[in-house]
Amino acid sequence: MTVDALTAVEAGVDATASAPALGARQLWRRLRAQRAALAGGVVIVLLVLIALGAPLLAGIEGQDTTSYHADLLDSAAGAVPRGTFGGVSGEHWLGIEPTTGRDLFARLVYGARISLFVAFGATLLQVLVGGAFGLAAGLGNRFVDGLLSRTTDVFVTMPALIFAIALIAVVPGGFPRPVLLMLVLGLLAWGGIAKIVRAQVLAHKTLDYVAASRLAGSGPWRTARRELLPALVAPVMTYAAILLPTNVVSEASLSFLGIGVKPPTASWGQMLSSANTWYQADPAYVLLPALLLFVTVLAFTVFAEGVRVALDPRAASRLRIGTGRARKDEAGDGSGDGEAVVEK
């Protein structure tokens, strides 16, 4: 996680500190009003459906991820696919891989499973671990808060990708690599969400409804479960939506470096790693996984921004103010009058 990302999230999350929890209908209305976020959400749903339905889609095409088709390769030209666009045909919808002849469409749809599984799993771990640390730090005494905060600072400043490379390199090869990637990314990059949760807990501890709960005899953890956790939903959702594309890129980077998912398991990052020498002979082999990775990250990023705006009460307030000012100006009352109306 970068410092700029953390600063941006904290700026958006602070706006939700004193806001009541949004209902599902109100949140949906705000998201629906943002066409870009809605489009990003549709793309995410399609990607999830493709990942879940990978066996069905590959079965419809009649191919799998491991079968070699050496007869479709031109050995005289360096084992590149015969035909145009990397060997696209009725049997191979997106062509085949150079040197192996494996079906590219089947490997792409199965690769979506790996990328999304690692991203969602790592994000869930980051939310659970970071949320627990942040909640304990915010509710603890000065010693506990200081100890957990310093531990969190270590994980925030730690170069998670370098540590992930070191850890993955020493794990036995028999351990499932997708699960290993999920665990490493999830257990190393939770510092940002812990700092956000701690800040929110400290802000809400001083509010009247939390004090009333304590006066009624509720213990600190009962108060946290009944009063604080509902207030943390908005900032945690916002930050989790931003973590998802970061984890997609991290999984692809590790696989690209050759220490992530190993062949014959399909992964977009692993495909890019083996395709970097074929960008001239077979451009489709490079462009297709790169394009899917770009679309996935863009969809998650746009949707995360939409979630941030939908959960930000000040964003809705700014929209109302701007609309009122525009209507006032259109009525011909002047900009000064519009400012006066807003101040009231």
Side-chain angles (χ1 to χ4, degrees):
M1 184 201 59
T2 63
V3 175
D4 292 339
L6 179 58
T7 304
V9 172
E10 287 177 342
V13 167
D14 288 344
T16 64
S18 60
L22 285 177
R25 290 185 178 179
Q26 187 177 5
L27 178 60
W28 167 243
R29 283 200 301 267
R30 292 186 182 181
L31 281 174
R32 192 172 56 184
Q34 304 176 65
R35 295 183 179 178
L38 200 59
V42 170
V43 172
I44 292 171
V45 171
L46 288 176
L47 288 170
V48 171
L49 292 177
I50 289 173
L52 294 176
L56 177 62
L57 293 173
I60 293 174
E61 188 197 24
Q63 303 295 334
D64 56 56
T65 61
T66 57
S67 296
Y68 284 38
H69 301 87
D71 57 312
L72 301 178
L73 300 174
D74 188 355
S75 57
V80 297
R82 301 178 186 272
T84 58
F85 302 108
V88 173
S89 65
E91 295 181 352
H92 303 280
W93 296 347
L94 295 179
I96 57 176
E97 287 185 334
T99 69
T100 65
R102 292 178 297 195
D103 185 76
L104 193 54
F105 173 80
R107 293 184 63 79
L108 285 172
V109 295
Y110 272 94
R113 280 188 152 190
I114 299 298
S115 296
L116 295 181
F117 169 76
V118 172
F120 279 107
T123 302
L124 179 61
L125 274 178
Q126 290 164 353
V127 168
L128 293 177
V129 176
F133 264 75
L135 193 62
L139 292 175
N141 56 32
R142 181 174 298 180
F143 173 78
V144 173
D145 185 18
L147 178 62
L148 296 181
S149 296
R150 299 296 78 76
T151 304
T152 301
D153 291 338
V154 171
F155 279 87
V156 169
T157 58
M158 177 188 300
L161 194 60
I162 295 177
F163 275 84
I165 293 173
L167 289 174
I168 291 175
V170 299
V171 173
F175 195 90
R177 283 304 175 100
V179 177
L180 178 60
L181 288 172
M182 178 190 71
L183 292 175
V184 169
L185 293 176
L187 297 177
L188 288 179
W190 50 265
I193 200 163
K195 293 179 73 69
I196 290 173
V197 170
R198 174 185 175 272
Q200 292 294 309
V201 170
L202 292 177
H204 283 83
K205 276 202 321 183
T206 61
L207 299 181
D208 293 341
Y209 72 96
V210 177
S213 176
R214 288 186 173 181
L215 290 175
S218 298
W221 295 109
R222 179 181 174 85
T223 301
R225 187 177 69 253
R226 298 186 59 183
E227 308 295 345
L228 294 177
L229 287 181
L232 294 174
V233 171
V236 168
M237 282 182 58
T238 301
Y239 193 57
I242 294 176
L243 283 175
L244 275 166
T246 303
N247 290 327
V248 170
V249 174
S250 297
E251 182 277 327
S253 301
L254 291 172
S255 297
F256 179 82
L257 293 173
I259 57 175
V261 176
K262 298 292 185 181
T265 304
S267 167
W268 295 342
Q270 183 267 327
M271 293 173 68
L272 284 173
S273 177
S274 59
N276 59 2
T277 58
W278 298 97
Y279 64 92
Q280 290 183 334
D282 188 6
Y285 185 35
V286 181
L287 292 177
L288 286 174
L291 180 62
L292 282 174
L293 188 60
F294 171 76
V295 169
T296 301
V297 173
L298 180 63
F300 275 115
T301 303
V302 172
F303 184 72
E305 174 63 15
V307 171
R308 186 194 66 79
V309 173
L311 294 173
D312 183 357
R314 293 190 304 188
S317 177
R318 284 193 295 267
L319 290 173
R320 287 195 297 269
I321 291 174
T323 304
R325 182 179 300 174
R327 290 176 177 175
K328 198 70 177 177
D329 291 340
E330 289 176 1
D333 292 338
S335 58
D337 293 338
E339 295 285 350
V341 170
V342 172
E343 292 175 359
K344 292 180 182 178

